[in-house]
Amino acid sequence: MSARPSPPEVIRGRITRVSGPVVLAEGLGGAGLFDVAEVGEARLAGEIIRVDGGGATIQVYEENTGMRPGESVLSLGKPLSLSLGPGLIGTIYDGIQRPLERLKESSGSFIRAGVRGERLPLDRMWAFAPALGPGDEIGPGTLVGRVRETELVEHRVIAPPGTVPCKVSRSVPAGEYTLRDTVLETEAGESLTLAQEWPARRARPSRKRLPPNEPLMTGLRVIDLLFPLSKGGCAAIPGGFGTGKTMAQHAIAKFCDADIIVYVGCGERGNEMTDVLTEFPKLVDPRTGRSIMERTILIANTSNMPVAAREVSIYTGITLAEYYRDMGYDVAVMADSTSRWAEALRELSGRLEEMPAEEGFPAYLPTRLAEFYERGGRVETLGGRSGSISIIGAVSPPGGDFSEPVTQHTKRFIRCFWALDRDLANARHYPAISWIDSYSEYAEELREWWDRKDPAWKDLRAQALDLMKREQRLEQIVRLIGPDALPDEQRLILVTAEMVKNGFLQQSSFDDVDKYCVPEKQILILHTIMEFHRRAEEAIKAGVPLTEIVAMPARERLSRLKSEVANDRIEEIRAAEREMAAAFDGLARVYSREEAT
Amino acid sequence: MRGLEHRGLERAEGPIIIARRRETAGYGELVAVYGRDGARRMGKVVDSSDSAIAVQLFTTNTGLSLDETRIELLGGPLELRVGPDLLGRVFDGLGRPSDGYPEILSSDKRDVNGSPINPSARVYPRDFIQTGVSAIDGMNTLIRGQKLPIFSGNGLPHNRLAAQIVRQAKILSSGAREGADESFAIVFAGMGIKYDVARFFVDSFERSGVLSRVVMFQSLADSPTIERLVTPRCALTAAEYLAYDMGMHVLVVLTDMTNYCEALREVSASRGEVPSRKGYPGYLYSDLASLYERAGRIEGSAGSITQIPILSMPNDDISNPIPDLTGYITEGQIVLDRELFQRGAYPSIAVLPSLSRLMKDGIGEGMTRDDHKEVSSQLFAAYARTKSVRNLAAIIGEEELAPLDKKYLRFGERFESEFVSQGEDDDRSIGRTLDLGWRLLAVLPTEELVRASRAMIEKYLPKEDGDAGAERRPD
């Protein structure tokens, strides 16, 4: 990394107490905070989280049953670092970047403590095309060369942030190289390979922040049109169990238009990660026609894996994301679930006997959350490229109650809130994103982009949100007096709102047509439904009874457009709109004649 | 260090005893504790330092004195002896035979705590299990390798439902049908349940002739509370052996998880830990996950572990930490409803809050039937609408409802009485369940069925009015 740090100093200590994943040791007075340690005879991975008077407290990332006082501890004198380089994409790691596939090959179906595997394939040959030659300037973030990592991803080898600015003294010709080979040497005496290391807990630097004014298109209508997220934005999806957090995260990971996806399964189910592992390779990216696994990295620290590693897994995920951001890519990080991460903090804090704040969570919970979400954003990288990290964090509030500390503190640091609603989920209305409780502050920043793309967006969005708010108010009255007591104009609002719900907001991830919806189709569907509303209002003013409007066959068609019209045949939506307009014209003729007679 | 003994205690408080150290003890190591009565009590080391060790007892602490107590370190974690002979045996909560027969003949001993399954070694579960219960098969399908708990309340028929599932469960997927003699086993862990409940399950297993394929671990209500923390771990260790070593399809029934969680709270409180919600420890989620995640299928093994944990929700409150955290870990839940039960309905499954997360990949053409997804989605939507119509009817009266809403009421009534309710011995095929669903949907006007595609409506929706159609059709 930085200019040749002195070789790290290894310090040997001795365990004095074992209490679950928290271990006390003596003789480690010289160790630094957050230095990596090898704990016990099994040399389990750990991290020093507290030092006082010669003693140190260590959290152990692996199952440490059987560990006893008297065993030795080695402090390696450097922070927990990740290996970054080609070979990351398509790999599944655990929270401390152990490659799970390779562990399976070496130690079977169950994860045992103390087993290791190469984080990156050290012997694989990569076709490297250099971008620099002797005499060229090099500094932090300079493009060194290119490697085709997968069909979808060109791996841009960039000089690490600590590179001393100077000139290249030697570089290799284009050809096949492994991660062990030096591909470039500088006049300052540094030699670079295709890989580099970076501490997980430290944010990788960038030159400056850019405004998040470009949308992250997810293909989900309720998000893209109503509650949009920017590239570089941060969103939270809170919801009780069974409301579809993971399903929503999967849907976004599959179809959003980011270049790289980092999916962090933090304290969640093993089968969900298996689902990703089996399903993603089969799914084709609608934009590139390649398997979406070719742009995805998975971090899996499932709920039954050691709790300390769960705490780090979030940082591991975001560091990998920053590495690809620095290449100039738009990266989306799914963190599922940040509540499990917060609970890991709570559990470790409890074992350290710290004074708890709210609901047993440590007082530094909001600080940690802020640090995490602030690593998202759109930036100009050290090399002058523009890249972004969008963070989508799932929150699992106990009892589905959003007033709990993790949801509340998260809300302070995100600007897009997709609240999942229990009643919608019970009716299997997915994505169960509530149109009443959700919000997106990015809508303002994205207006300009949409004005260029389709100026209708902002009006449609405002109309739809307004309609749904009016429906909610009316529902309160309906609950008392029934819908029949309302005048036709107001009942029409209920009818249209129902059409918006069924025909626009609800979206099935299992329907081949409906699972991904291009922006043009999204706009057209919503436009057609709002046009229906406008025409129906006029018709009612002209004396047409609502029952006649509701009975129009052209109306029923509108609720099915989402699944009957494929993304590449959206002119059929215009046809449906014309059909509807003709039906209204017909009604208008009948009723104007009746009036005349 | 195996066999070493300490004499004398520093402190004894609830299930935790503290002893001055003379030799190092490993974290999690099993110990035997002898009081002045000479009786052997089991426990494990929960904290080990240079100067002292803390031991958590699995059994009663009565009769322990500070001076005369001896602690023997047993050198490793608690292990269970496993072998094919497990089948048909009954063990106590700590995995010792309690049916009067000797220990099983095997030298294969496994750490009851298990190890986490590598997510990349899992096989995604997608084999449909037909339970014969419409509310489960049709709406919240059980999949082989799934963990699907029953959220119940005191007095609700969760035991009868679990027994019915165990009796009727069968695999339909084409591949499995060929090898109809696939071996299966049932592992039953009773934690703090009454003797009568244990008896009920034994009788039920006996009646269906599967008792020789059942392994039982019983820590009954009168056994020491702390023992319950070990019981499910023993059961799952046996299940893992049967599934992954013997290649059997294992159905694990864990009841009652509420008793397990209370035991955990008791230990946590006596260790003076900072509590989180309702006094439960902050690691309740991780601890439950270490049990529930021991379900599934792994590469290279034909077997599977399907878990049906049963828990009684204190005060029927689904937001209580026990059902809440369980729901966050398991792949769905079957919720029982007291109101339905009071109306005399069995199995009184509350369809809307119930969920099966693995359903999406285990149903459809080739697995159940091509219309399954759509008919279940439409039934969910229609029944949810019924619920809001009922709220309205409670205020303005049924007579004032619009004709469409009246149809929804009619649909809801028939859905509850014909679809959700069924006899305890009524084993419905999936085809019958889905046909029944369509027949009920025929009560509603076709244009209301927006969740179903026109093709499926054309193919399956009965032409005549659902109310006019025959109430029961033979398969």
Side-chain angles (χ1 to χ4, degrees):
Chain A
M1 266 159 294
S2 57
R4 302 297 93 189
S6 52
E9 196 189 344
V10 176
I11 308 171
R12 179 179 291 271
R14 180 184 162 280
I15 297 177
T16 56
R17 181 176 172 191
V18 186
S19 170
V22 171
V23 168
L24 300 189
E26 61 186 12
L28 290 178
L33 270 179
F34 292 104
D35 280 358
V36 185
E38 288 183 349
V39 192
E41 267 141 40
R43 304 179 69 141
L44 304 184
E47 205 176 25
I48 294 172
I49 50 174
R50 187 190 275 169
V51 277
D52 59 276
T57 307
I58 303 159
Q59 63 181 25
V60 184
Y61 294 132
E62 298 177 72
E63 178 56 47
N64 64 339
T65 299
M67 188 176 277
R68 38 184 101 237
E71 291 184 29
S72 65
V73 185
L74 293 180
S75 164
L76 303 186
K78 58 170 192 179
L80 177 77
S81 295
L82 304 177
S83 304
L84 307 169
L88 290 169
I89 303 278
T91 310
I92 175 167
Y93 292 106
D94 79 348
I96 49 173
Q97 214 199 2
R98 287 192 296 174
L100 291 174
E101 281 288 337
R102 286 190 274 276
L103 290 194
K104 180 178 72 181
E105 283 155 24
S106 63
S107 64
S109 301
F110 294 88
I111 299 177
R112 318 266 176 212
V115 290
R116 294 284 176 274
E118 280 176 6
R119 290 162 154 186
L120 294 171
L122 290 180
D123 296 317
R124 177 163 165 192
M125 303 294 277
W126 296 97
F128 172 69
L132 295 179
D136 286 345
E137 298 278 344
I138 186 171
T142 311
L143 181 70
V144 173
R146 297 182 165 86
V147 166
R148 175 118 325 253
E149 188 171 2
T150 68
E151 287 295 327
L152 274 185
V153 179
E154 176 196 74
H155 194 103
R156 297 169 192 153
V157 182
I158 44 169
T163 309
V164 181
C166 60
K167 288 201 164 75
V168 176
S169 60
R170 192 181 82 85
S171 71
V172 296
E176 302 247 312
Y177 298 93
T178 69
L179 300 188
R180 300 177 203 271
D181 299 328
T182 298
V183 295
L184 183 139
E185 282 168 19
T186 71
E187 285 179 349
E190 291 179 278
S191 49
L192 304 183
T193 63
L194 299 181
Q196 51 184 284
E197 294 218 326
W198 188 263
R201 291 185 191 275
R202 198 188 310 155
R204 283 172 69 93
S206 56
R207 205 178 275 170
K208 67 173 185 204
R209 293 246 171 188
L210 300 174
N213 53 12
E214 217 182 279
L216 182 80
M217 280 295 166
T218 63
L220 294 177
R221 291 182 291 265
V222 59
I223 292 179
D224 291 349
L225 287 205
L226 296 189
F227 308 107
L229 178 64
S230 296
K231 289 202 172 94
C234 296
I237 314 184
F241 64 80
T243 48
K245 291 180 296 296
T246 304
M247 291 308 299
Q249 295 243 21
H250 280 197
I252 297 170
K254 285 173 195 167
F255 300 121
C256 76
D257 64 348
D259 302 309
I260 308 285
I261 306 289
V262 179
Y263 195 102
V264 187
C266 172
E268 289 286 309
R269 303 175 187 86
N271 274 334
E272 283 171 358
M273 298 315 291
T274 314
D275 188 14
V276 174
L277 279 175
T278 44
E279 196 188 358
F280 277 31
K282 285 184 252 163
L283 282 172
V284 168
D285 182 352
R287 276 164 297 272
T288 57
R290 301 291 308 184
S291 155
I292 55 173
M293 199 62 199
E294 290 183 16
R295 61 165 196 181
T296 309
I297 306 173
L298 297 175
I299 313 282
N301 214 90
T302 56
S303 53
N304 54 342
M305 284 154 79
V307 67
R310 190 191 303 168
E311 192 263 326
V312 198
S313 62
I314 289 273
Y315 299 106
T316 302
I318 199 97
T319 306
L320 298 184
E322 283 172 346
Y323 177 61
Y324 282 93
R325 174 204 68 190
D326 289 350
M327 298 179 201
Y329 286 121
D330 293 316
V331 188
V333 177
M334 315 287 146
D336 183 17
S337 145
T338 58
S339 293
R340 303 298 162 229
W341 169 74
E343 283 162 14
L345 277 185
R346 173 168 72 185
E347 188 172 335
L348 293 165
S349 160
R351 296 211 189 249
L352 293 172
E353 290 162 10
E354 292 171 340
M355 182 68 89
E358 298 156 90
E359 293 194 15
F361 286 106
Y364 47 78
L365 172 69
T367 318
R368 295 286 182 90
L369 277 170
E371 279 168 8
F372 168 64
Y373 282 108
E374 276 309 282
R375 288 177 76 170
R378 200 162 84 86
V379 302
E380 186 183 317
T381 66
L382 295 179
R385 287 167 288 267
S386 129
S388 70
I389 296 178
S390 318
I391 302 180
I392 297 156
V395 184
S396 319
D401 172 11
F402 290 174
S403 65
E404 58 92 38
V406 182
T407 317
Q408 283 309 312
H409 290 307
T410 300
K411 272 179 113 166
R412 293 162 54 194
F413 311 118
I414 49 109
R415 296 179 58 211
C416 186
F417 189 72
W418 297 322
L420 298 181
D421 185 274
R422 166 70 59 195
D423 289 333
L424 289 177
N426 280 354
R428 303 309 191 256
H429 174 116
Y430 291 121
I433 295 176
S434 158
W435 43 88
I436 301 300
D437 299 329
S438 303
Y439 60 78
S440 169
E441 294 174 21
Y442 297 110
E444 273 307 302
E445 272 135 319
L446 293 174
R447 188 186 279 178
E448 228 173 273
W449 186 92
W450 273 105
D451 277 343
R452 289 194 301 273
K453 166 104 183 157
D454 190 339
W457 174 72
K458 58 176 184 289
D459 291 338
L460 272 179
R461 178 173 185 270
Q463 283 170 18
L465 285 174
D466 178 57
L467 179 86
M468 299 317 282
K469 293 243 160 62
R470 286 193 345 227
E471 186 238 16
Q472 192 214 10
R473 278 198 299 274
L474 283 176
E475 274 297 335
Q476 289 166 356
I477 302 171
V478 167
R479 246 175 262 145
L480 293 175
I481 59 169
D484 288 345
L486 296 178
D488 271 3
E489 301 90 74
Q490 294 192 340
R491 284 179 57 197
L492 172 66
I493 293 175
L494 301 182
V495 170
T496 316
E498 201 61 30
M499 290 166 62
V500 173
K501 284 184 221 169
N502 286 325
F504 181 78
L505 295 171
Q506 199 229 350
Q507 190 168 355
S508 166
S509 352
F510 311 123
D511 184 299
D512 279 335
V513 174
D514 196 26
K515 64 184 179 189
Y516 169 74
C517 190
V518 293
E520 295 77 16
K521 180 177 159 190
Q522 303 188 9
I523 292 265
L524 266 182
I525 292 181
L526 189 57
H527 167 80
T528 308
I529 295 175
M530 297 317 292
E531 184 63 17
F532 162 84
H533 189 70
R534 193 184 64 80
R535 292 294 310 255
E537 271 180 333
E538 281 176 15
I540 288 170
K541 280 207 190 85
V544 183
L546 180 65
T547 45
E548 295 267 337
I549 299 173
V550 170
M552 289 187 335
R555 185 193 72 93
E556 199 210 333
R557 176 92 209 278
L558 301 188
S559 297
R560 296 181 187 273
L561 291 174
K562 58 175 187 176
S563 53
E564 287 183 354
V565 178
N567 281 326
D568 53 357
R569 300 204 323 254
I570 53 176
E571 64 282 2
E572 286 177 30
I573 300 179
R574 294 193 201 281
E577 190 186 336
R578 283 193 295 275
E579 200 184 307
M580 175 193 79
F584 271 115
D585 291 343
L587 277 181
R589 273 195 299 279
V590 172
Y591 279 87
S592 60
R593 221 176 298 137
E594 271 178 20
E595 240 163 67
T597 50
Chain B
M1 311 281 153
R2 177 170 282 274
L4 273 171
E5 285 192 12
H6 298 261
R7 183 178 287 275
L9 295 182
E10 190 88 331
R11 210 167 84 202
E13 188 185 332
I16 303 290
I17 56 175
I18 312 248
R20 281 261 159 240
R21 178 195 93 96
R22 253 158 254 152
E23 268 305 325
T24 59
Y27 173 72
E29 185 173 344
L30 194 64
V31 297
V33 181
Y34 303 91
R36 51 170 189 237
D37 51 4
R40 180 180 161 108
R41 299 165 175 82
M42 304 304 282
K44 71 168 181 180
V45 176
V46 290
D47 200 324
S48 172
S49 74
D50 277 345
S51 53
I53 58 172
V55 170
Q56 173 197 320
L57 292 172
F58 297 140
T59 57
T60 169
N61 55 2
T62 316
L64 291 182
S65 67
L66 291 186
D67 298 336
E68 289 179 63
T69 301
R70 286 179 298 130
I71 296 181
E72 182 189 1
L73 297 173
L74 298 178
L78 181 60
E79 290 177 318
L80 181 77
R81 219 178 266 278
V82 293
D85 297 345
L86 281 170
L87 292 175
R89 296 294 305 271
V90 182
F91 300 89
D92 72 359
L94 295 176
R96 296 171 301 201
S98 66
D99 48 6
Y101 298 102
E103 285 258 15
I104 67 164
L105 267 178
S106 167
S107 56
D108 194 354
K109 291 166 99 181
R110 303 276 167 94
D111 177 357
V112 298
N113 295 306
S115 296
I117 299 178
N118 186 329
S120 68
R122 280 182 185 267
V123 175
Y124 193 68
R126 41 177 86 241
D127 292 338
F128 165 69
I129 299 181
Q130 179 179 298
T131 65
V133 180
S134 290
I136 296 178
D137 291 351
M139 312 293 282
N140 299 290
T141 315
L142 178 65
I143 303 290
R144 193 145 74 177
Q146 184 171 21
K147 36 195 182 288
L148 189 65
I150 299 177
F151 287 9
S152 184
N154 297 320
L156 295 181
H158 43 267
N159 293 327
R160 284 159 63 199
L161 177 61
Q164 185 176 6
I165 294 173
V166 170
R167 266 200 317 273
Q168 299 180 349
K170 51 177 139 332
I171 294 288
L172 288 188
S173 62
S174 48
R177 220 184 316 217
E178 311 301 318
D181 58 339
E182 285 191 307
S183 54
F184 72 98
I186 295 155
V187 174
F188 177 89
M191 292 155 281
I193 52 168
K194 289 191 68 64
Y195 173 79
D196 308 352
V197 175
R199 190 72 239 162
F200 166 81
F201 277 100
V202 171
D203 284 347
S204 160
F205 296 147
E206 206 163 13
R207 227 165 9 112
S208 43
V210 295
L211 200 54
S212 63
R213 311 202 66 87
V214 179
V215 192
M216 294 196 94
F217 293 85
Q218 294 182 345
S219 169
L220 298 183
D222 55 356
S223 311
T225 324
I226 311 305
E227 193 180 294
R228 292 169 201 162
L229 295 179
V230 182
T231 312
R233 294 189 161 81
C234 288
L236 289 164
T237 305
E240 280 173 357
Y241 171 78
L242 295 172
Y244 305 139
D245 287 47
M246 306 264 297
M248 300 173 119
H249 294 290
V250 186
L251 194 60
V252 182
V253 178
L254 306 169
T255 179
D256 177 326
M257 290 308 293
T258 304
N259 294 336
Y260 172 85
C261 295
E262 275 166 5
L264 199 66
R265 175 165 68 179
E266 198 177 319
V267 174
S268 167
S270 69
R271 290 182 69 182
E273 291 169 338
V274 179
S276 68
R277 285 174 70 216
K278 299 220 168 175
Y280 291 99
Y283 51 79
L284 179 60
Y285 176 85
S286 302
D287 190 276
L288 284 173
S290 72
L291 300 178
Y292 296 142
E293 279 289 323
R294 292 172 79 175
R297 314 191 55 173
I298 58 174
E299 284 174 8
S301 167
S304 65
I305 298 180
T306 309
Q307 273 188 26
I308 304 185
I310 298 173
L311 58 89
S312 46
M313 299 182 279
N315 202 19
D316 291 352
D317 175 13
I318 198 168
S319 67
N320 178 283
I322 301 171
D324 191 50
L325 296 179
T326 297
Y328 274 122
I329 305 164
T330 54
E331 282 136 356
Q333 65 276 341
I334 301 293
V335 184
L336 301 192
D337 185 76
R338 192 169 296 277
E339 196 201 316
L340 272 178
F341 180 67
Q342 283 164 346
R343 277 193 266 148
Y346 171 86
S348 54
I349 293 173
V351 170
L352 295 183
S354 297
L355 172 74
S356 166
R357 294 167 190 270
L358 300 184
M359 176 173 178
K360 60 189 173 70
D361 296 304
I363 62 170
E365 205 166 355
M367 291 171 284
T368 54
R369 212 168 76 181
D370 52 356
D371 59 325
H372 196 158
K373 270 174 202 167
E374 296 183 15
V375 73
S376 68
S377 176
Q378 186 60 60
L379 286 168
F380 273 119
Y383 189 50
R385 169 90 188 254
T386 301
K387 290 270 179 179
S388 65
V389 171
R390 275 189 192 156
N391 290 338
L392 179 61
I395 295 166
I396 64 171
E398 255 179 61
E399 290 312 306
E400 298 297 313
L401 290 178
L404 177 62
D405 284 347
K406 283 185 183 153
K407 283 193 173 155
Y408 269 106
L409 274 193
R410 176 87 190 116
F411 163 81
E413 263 163 42
R414 289 193 51 188
F415 181 73
E416 283 170 2
S417 64
E418 293 172 36
F419 192 93
V420 177
S421 301
Q422 67 185 88
E424 225 171 312
D425 290 308
D426 187 1
D427 188 356
R428 295 182 186 164
S429 73
I430 182 68
R432 209 172 122 203
T433 292
L434 297 178
D435 287 342
L436 180 58
W438 282 110
R439 217 153 59 241
L440 297 177
L441 287 174
V443 174
L444 301 171
T446 313
E447 61 269 18
E448 284 293 302
L449 309 183
V450 289
R451 296 263 184 105
S453 69
R454 291 178 218 241
M456 290 299 159
I457 291 177
E458 192 59 36
K459 189 168 167 190
Y460 290 106
L461 190 70
K463 297 291 175 286
E464 80 274 24
D465 183 281
D467 277 328
E471 288 290 299
R472 284 271 188 278
R473 247 193 307 187
D475 273 352

